[in-house]
Amino acid sequence: MAPKCILLPRDEMPRQWYNVLADIKLNPPLGPDGNPVSPDMLAPVFPMNLIEQEVSQERWIDIPEPVLDVLSIWRPSPLIRADRFEKALGTPAKIYYKHEGVSPPGSHKPNTAVPQAYYNKEFGIENMTTETGAGQWGSALSFACSQFGLNCKVYMVRVSFDQKPYRKAMMETWGGQCVASPSEETKAGRDALAKDPNTPGSLGIAISEAIEAAVSDESGKTRYSLGSVLNHVMLHQTIIGLEARQQFAMIDAYPDVVIGCAGGGSNFAGLAFPFVSDKINGKEIAIYPVEPAACPTMTRAPFVYDHGDTAGYTPLLPMHSLGHNFVPPPIHAGGLRYHGMAPTVSQLVDEGLLTPKAVTQTQAYKAGLLWARTEGFIPAPETTNALAAVVEEANRAKEEGKEKIIVANFSGHGLLDLGAYERFLSGEINDVVFEDTIIEDANALFAEYPKPASLKSV
Amino acid sequence: MAPKCILLPRDEMPRQWYNVLADIKLNPPLGPDGNPVSPDMLAPVFPMNLIEQEVSQERWIDIPEPVLDVLSIWRPSPLIRADRFEKALGTPAKIYYKHEGVSPPGSHKPNTAVPQAYYNKEFGIENMTTETGAGQWGSALSFACSQFGLNCKVYMVRVSFDQKPYRKAMMETWGGQCVASPSEETKAGRDALAKDPNTPGSLGIAISEAIEAAVSDESGKTRYSLGSVLNHVMLHQTIIGLEARQQFAMIDAYPDVVIGCAGGGSNFAGLAFPFVSDKINGKEIAIYPVEPAACPTMTRAPFVYDHGDTAGYTPLLPMHSLGHNFVPPPIHAGGLRYHGMAPTVSQLVDEGLLTPKAVTQTQAYKAGLLWARTEGFIPAPETTNALAAVVEEANRAKEEGKEKIIVANFSGHGLLDLGAYERFLSGEINDVVFEDTIIEDANALFAEYPKPASLKSV
């Protein structure tokens, strides 16, 4: 029996995160005055120890012992050979996946929720606030806060709050509090409700509510937390790729292609960045971030300075963006419905170190269904986008007759998203056409914005 | 960092199941005439290779290579130290759990669904039928059938079908078919609907529908499958306990107490039987099957001959039973709502080798919530019953000042049962009083039935 599953012994779990900022240069975030944002301007929002991590250029950053201890509930995650999927595709490619669905909330999100909760606790913070769209991030932060005795408040976009009641139940089971956004609890929420009492809400409004709730607590004991996009989030996720590299070394192998889906970019970066570092050092390897064709930031949108949120409260970040006022169509991979992309991932795309791919929604569900029926584990809708790119690459390997090694990030399971599969099976899920006018509108929006410089790391 | 998780290398996965029938004697199942049932009387219902396994008294039975191959998608399952739970309880006990929630359907059920699908396929069967209550078993069989290219039809009790639509979606994602029971597709279903068009259905009716669908297929290519109670089901589950024994050997330890929840008995037996075998051979060890106080077969009901289903279609089985016409109250641990108990487990209780415990529903949810907030993984409602008994035992160890080693079976996660947690958190879940008249009624029912002989194995 060939080893289906490569398990890293627990005592060989990585003890440091890899910081890609040691290897690439980033344009700085800009404040309202067009000047770079200083760390203390972020102090009301994030604790200083995380802000320091956000701007650090140290290559290796120690993972604190109490964080390792909680991560070891489910880490190291297994690297698994998808031999049944290979057989169904009739490909000579060897497909491996890193199974991040084994965490208590079922996705990669707690890899950063746990250290974020830890650093907030260390800094003397007692309450954390955040927003959540489909619910994965809010669940992960609730779980992490339960481990460190912090209160957790999650503003969940109204439409998802109503459609996915199990997510709220999950957060409450871990002791978190979950309210529908817009809520009556913040000015941002009340303003949104005054404008439209029946609004379905948006991630932009929910972010504004969570930030407002954090900065307006006069005790100073509350901070906000973000689950993607920022540098320290990417940093925490690199444990995925560091483990994967060690696991490939255990079987004397190294991947030819690395694949992950990308919304804000964190699960992709988590698997890919350690391999990006190898690539910068001369390794030949192809690295694909995969996005929905209905929300194509990397494959279609310009590389610009834009706000991270819809209301424009955040600093300007250098990234691929469809414009902060772009509302992505209601595709089922809620975690990939974001107008921008992490600055680190955007920079690497701009430098040609990453090769972004876009896949359609039906392509994604078709791949997800084949996966479930061969490999067993039902992927989250987001994850199916990565799997669709795996199918394309496996078919290419077949045409070329090459025994390529492909590794994909299985960013989460779909057990709380089964309704989407049912709709796909009954033919209710179709592809969304992306209109060229969206790019024209974005370019018009950005005409007046500062432009990121063209930097080259390599 | 102490090892949180004891991982058995994949190449040391057990290659044989342990058959408890080599160590204990059972009263035979009886037919309608009161005589023992012969294997060929079961041939229209089950394939002969499984019937042979049902009556085998061989101590060790080889696990076929293709079954090992599918089980290795998630097995060996981890044995995990619940150190956070220990700390919260302030107990000197060392608590370990076997995490069976890591399988694709999220419970221990595929441990038997996979070999059952395999043996049916080997016997030339093309279609399998079964019933499911809360949905765990139907999901597991759909998954297993997808692995061997079999069609799977699941009759799901109407009330659960309506309340838990994600379960149907899960079965369909794996290519299974799921219909609400009673259905128009069988005589048993049509009769039930004629009697009451608005019936919520019952496990008894669903079993009748699934058996009828199997035996009435004139092609001879359809068989029925049961997810608990029978000897071959217990056999397949012993891989849990065999792995656990090896994992304890890896850390030079051996448990003092073994705990599992028991509805039909299969997850409990899976963990416990290898330790029962040690106990028969002189090891000092306490073994607790745990049932809901609202459906107390082992702790209250007599040891009798009774039917396995409500309609009385099955042979008479020697077991602890509350009477096949007893309808357990609608507690949330749907998998534990069964009037009887596996004959093997019942026999071991009768001989005093097992010490059954009963816990209340609120005790169970309280333990489950503490577990989620310390160990992270959210337990299935069934599993919380085992955890409640772990709490009792850990508190006893505290009173006695003893460093006992406790091992529990974490039979499944609760991600598709989060609604129950929400109801518990909002105070909607209360305890159900078990009326003594139920035992009086059962004894009256059994007055005319044959009596099992008092056998002693040891």
Side-chain angles (χ1 to χ4, degrees):
Chain A
M1 190 166 50
K4 171 84 182 153
C5 190
I6 299 114
L7 296 170
L8 191 65
R10 243 145 243 247
D11 51 12
E12 291 177 26
M13 193 158 109
R15 301 185 154 252
Q16 296 183 308
W17 291 299
Y18 161 66
N19 184 5
V20 78
L21 294 189
D23 280 320
I24 63 171
K25 298 184 200 100
L26 279 192
N27 284 276
L30 304 180
D33 56 1
N35 289 322
V37 170
S38 67
D40 43 300
M41 288 167 74
L42 298 170
V45 183
F46 301 109
M48 194 47 78
N49 46 11
L50 275 177
I51 296 171
E52 282 162 13
Q53 227 169 48
E54 178 68 15
V55 299
S56 168
Q57 299 191 16
E58 290 293 316
R59 182 176 304 274
W60 297 102
I61 294 180
D62 287 346
I63 309 177
E65 205 62 31
V67 171
L68 280 170
D69 195 46
V70 177
L71 294 181
S72 77
I73 291 179
W74 73 96
R75 302 209 74 85
S77 73
L79 179 73
I80 307 180
R81 175 86 181 267
D83 51 346
R84 290 170 174 73
F85 194 61
E86 291 168 16
K87 204 185 287 176
L89 295 171
T91 180
K94 291 179 179 167
I95 303 170
Y96 290 85
Y97 68 103
K98 190 73 174 151
H99 191 347
E100 292 297 309
V102 296
S103 73
S107 80
H108 68 290
K109 290 288 187 192
N111 294 333
T112 183
V114 170
Q116 286 196 48
Y118 167 78
Y119 286 115
N120 272 276
K121 177 81 174 187
E122 280 294 289
F123 196 69
I125 300 306
E126 292 172 6
N127 317 296
M128 294 185 73
T129 68
T130 198
E131 76 290 333
T132 199
Q136 289 274 24
W137 171 243
S139 307
L141 194 65
S142 296
F143 158 70
C145 284
S146 78
Q147 290 291 326
F148 293 103
L150 293 162
N151 299 311
C152 181
K153 174 103 174 218
V154 181
Y155 293 85
M156 185 168 182
V157 176
R158 162 65 74 183
V159 57
S160 297
F161 183 91
D162 291 340
Q163 279 172 359
K164 305 192 179 190
Y166 273 17
R167 281 287 174 194
K168 174 174 181 269
M170 193 183 217
M171 296 178 223
E172 290 178 348
T173 299
W174 282 314
Q177 212 191 330
C178 176
V179 294
S181 167
S183 75
E184 292 284 354
E185 301 183 7
T186 66
K187 184 177 176 304
R190 289 188 295 273
D191 286 353
L193 288 170
K195 222 180 271 177
D196 177 5
N198 298 316
T199 174
S202 75
L203 216 42
I205 300 169
I207 293 179
S208 305
E209 287 208 275
I211 293 179
E212 185 186 325
V215 301
S216 65
D217 175 14
E218 289 172 7
S219 76
K221 298 288 188 195
T222 305
R223 289 293 183 283
Y224 167 74
S225 168
L226 192 65
S228 193
V229 180
L230 298 179
N231 302 338
H232 67 273
V233 178
M234 307 293 135
L235 174 78
H236 299 156
Q237 293 291 356
T238 58
I239 195 167
I240 303 172
L242 294 169
E243 284 179 5
R245 252 191 350 194
Q246 288 174 244
Q247 285 162 313
F248 274 115
M250 285 169 72
I251 53 165
D252 278 324
Y254 190 87
D256 299 295
V257 188
V258 175
I259 296 176
C261 64
S266 78
N267 96 74
F268 165 75
L271 175 63
F273 280 6
F275 294 103
V276 166
S277 154
D278 291 350
K279 187 169 185 167
I280 289 174
N281 288 308
K283 268 272 187 195
E284 246 190 72
I285 184 168
I287 308 178
Y288 305 161
V290 185
E291 63 190 8
C295 188
T297 52
M298 295 173 290
T299 55
R300 298 291 308 275
F303 182 52
V304 293
Y305 264 115
D306 193 11
H307 294 288
D309 67 324
T310 309
Y313 288 177
T314 75
L316 286 167
L317 300 172
M319 58 183 181
H320 281 271
S321 176
L322 291 159
H324 60 267
N325 50 8
F326 172 65
V327 180
I331 54 169
H332 285 281
L336 306 183
R337 293 181 63 232
Y338 185 60
H339 67 274
M341 178 54 61
T344 46
V345 174
S346 294
Q347 175 67 29
L348 288 163
V349 168
D350 196 50
E351 295 190 36
L353 285 161
L354 308 179
T355 313
K357 307 273 177 187
V359 299
T360 66
Q361 186 161 235
T362 51
Q363 239 185 312
Y365 275 106
K366 217 178 131 192
L369 207 63
L370 180 64
W371 185 274
R373 291 180 184 179
T374 53
E375 292 301 312
F377 295 107
I378 298 174
E382 291 78 7
T383 311
T384 62
N385 285 263
L387 300 179
V390 171
V391 170
E392 282 187 348
E393 193 64 22
N395 288 339
R396 197 170 304 127
K398 191 175 174 179
E399 281 163 26
E400 297 171 356
K402 282 192 190 160
E403 257 199 29
K404 277 183 193 172
I405 296 182
I406 301 170
V407 61
N409 203 10
F410 189 89
S411 55
H413 65 61
L415 299 189
L416 295 180
D417 306 281
L418 283 162
Y421 279 91
E422 193 156 51
R423 285 189 287 278
F424 178 67
L425 286 164
S426 56
E428 287 168 50
I429 287 184
N430 298 307
D431 287 330
V432 181
V433 178
F434 182 78
E435 304 286 351
D436 289 339
T437 52
I438 295 164
I439 298 295
E440 290 159 25
D441 291 350
N443 281 324
L445 174 77
F446 298 130
E448 306 294 308
Y449 279 52
K451 298 281 171 292
S454 187
L455 304 170
K456 284 290 165 195
S457 312
V458 188
Chain B
M1 189 167 49
K4 171 84 182 155
C5 189
I6 299 116
L7 296 171
L8 191 64
R10 246 148 241 245
D11 51 11
E12 291 178 27
M13 192 159 109
R15 299 183 156 254
Q16 295 182 310
W17 293 298
Y18 161 66
N19 184 5
V20 77
L21 294 189
D23 280 320
I24 62 171
K25 299 186 201 99
L26 280 192
N27 284 276
L30 304 181
D33 56 1
N35 289 322
V37 170
S38 68
D40 43 300
M41 288 167 75
L42 297 170
V45 182
F46 301 109
M48 195 46 79
N49 46 11
L50 276 176
I51 297 171
E52 282 162 11
Q53 228 169 47
E54 178 69 15
V55 298
S56 168
Q57 299 191 15
E58 289 294 317
R59 181 176 305 274
W60 297 102
I61 294 180
D62 287 345
I63 308 177
E65 204 62 31
V67 171
L68 281 171
D69 196 45
V70 177
L71 293 181
S72 77
I73 291 178
W74 74 94
R75 301 209 75 87
S77 73
L79 179 73
I80 308 180
R81 175 87 181 267
D83 51 347
R84 291 171 173 72
F85 195 61
E86 290 168 16
K87 203 184 288 175
L89 295 171
T91 178
K94 292 180 179 166
I95 303 170
Y96 290 85
Y97 68 103
K98 190 72 174 153
H99 192 347
E100 292 297 308
V102 295
S103 74
S107 80
H108 68 290
K109 290 288 186 192
N111 294 333
T112 183
V114 171
Q116 287 196 46
Y118 167 78
Y119 286 115
N120 273 276
K121 177 80 174 185
E122 281 294 290
F123 195 68
I125 300 305
E126 292 171 7
N127 316 296
M128 294 185 73
T129 68
T130 198
E131 76 290 333
T132 198
Q136 289 274 23
W137 171 242
S139 307
L141 194 65
S142 295
F143 159 70
C145 284
S146 79
Q147 290 291 326
F148 292 104
L150 293 162
N151 299 310
C152 181
K153 175 104 174 217
V154 180
Y155 293 85
M156 184 168 184
V157 176
R158 161 64 74 184
V159 57
S160 297
F161 183 91
D162 290 340
Q163 279 173 358
K164 307 193 178 190
Y166 272 19
R167 280 287 175 195
K168 174 173 181 271
M170 194 183 217
M171 295 178 224
E172 289 178 348
T173 299
W174 281 314
Q177 215 191 329
C178 175
V179 293
S181 168
S183 76
E184 291 285 354
E185 301 183 8
T186 65
K187 184 177 176 305
R190 288 187 296 272
D191 286 354
L193 288 169
K195 222 181 270 177
D196 177 6
N198 298 316
T199 174
S202 75
L203 216 42
I205 299 169
I207 293 179
S208 305
E209 286 209 276
I211 293 178
E212 184 186 326
V215 301
S216 66
D217 174 13
E218 288 173 7
S219 76
K221 298 288 188 193
T222 304
R223 289 294 183 283
Y224 167 74
S225 168
L226 191 65
S228 193
V229 180
L230 299 180
N231 302 338
H232 68 273
V233 178
M234 307 293 137
L235 175 78
H236 299 156
Q237 293 290 357
T238 58
I239 194 166
I240 303 172
L242 294 169
E243 285 179 4
R245 251 190 353 192
Q246 287 173 245
Q247 287 162 313
F248 275 115
M250 285 169 71
I251 53 165
D252 278 325
Y254 191 87
D256 298 296
V257 188
V258 175
I259 297 177
C261 65
S266 78
N267 96 74
F268 164 76
L271 175 63
F273 281 5
F275 294 102
V276 166
S277 153
D278 290 350
K279 187 169 185 167
I280 289 173
N281 288 308
K283 268 272 186 195
E284 246 190 70
I285 184 167
I287 308 178
Y288 306 160
V290 185
E291 63 189 9
C295 188
T297 52
M298 295 174 291
T299 54
R300 298 290 309 272
F303 182 51
V304 293
Y305 262 115
D306 193 10
H307 294 288
D309 67 325
T310 309
Y313 288 176
T314 75
L316 287 167
L317 301 171
M319 57 183 182
H320 281 271
S321 176
L322 291 158
H324 60 267
N325 50 6
F326 172 64
V327 180
I331 54 168
H332 285 281
L336 305 183
R337 294 181 63 231
Y338 185 60
H339 68 273
M341 180 52 63
T344 45
V345 174
S346 295
Q347 174 67 28
L348 288 163
V349 168
D350 197 50
E351 295 189 37
L353 285 161
L354 308 178
T355 313
K357 307 272 176 187
V359 298
T360 67
Q361 185 160 237
T362 51
Q363 238 185 312
Y365 274 106
K366 216 177 132 192
L369 207 62
L370 180 64
W371 185 274
R373 292 179 183 180
T374 53
E375 293 301 313
F377 295 107
I378 299 174
E382 291 78 8
T383 310
T384 62
N385 286 263
L387 299 179
V390 170
V391 170
E392 283 187 347
E393 192 64 22
N395 288 340
R396 197 169 304 128
K398 191 176 174 178
E399 282 163 27
E400 297 171 356
K402 280 192 190 160
E403 257 199 30
K404 276 184 194 173
I405 296 181
I406 301 171
V407 60
N409 203 10
F410 190 89
S411 55
H413 66 62
L415 300 189
L416 295 180
D417 306 280
L418 283 162
Y421 280 91
E422 193 156 51
R423 284 189 288 277
F424 178 67
L425 285 164
S426 56
E428 287 168 49
I429 287 184
N430 298 308
D431 286 331
V432 181
V433 178
F434 182 79
E435 305 285 353
D436 290 338
T437 51
I438 295 165
I439 298 293
E440 290 161 24
D441 291 349
N443 282 324
L445 174 77
F446 297 129
E448 306 294 309
Y449 279 51
K451 298 279 172 293
S454 188
L455 304 172
K456 285 289 164 197
S457 311
V458 189

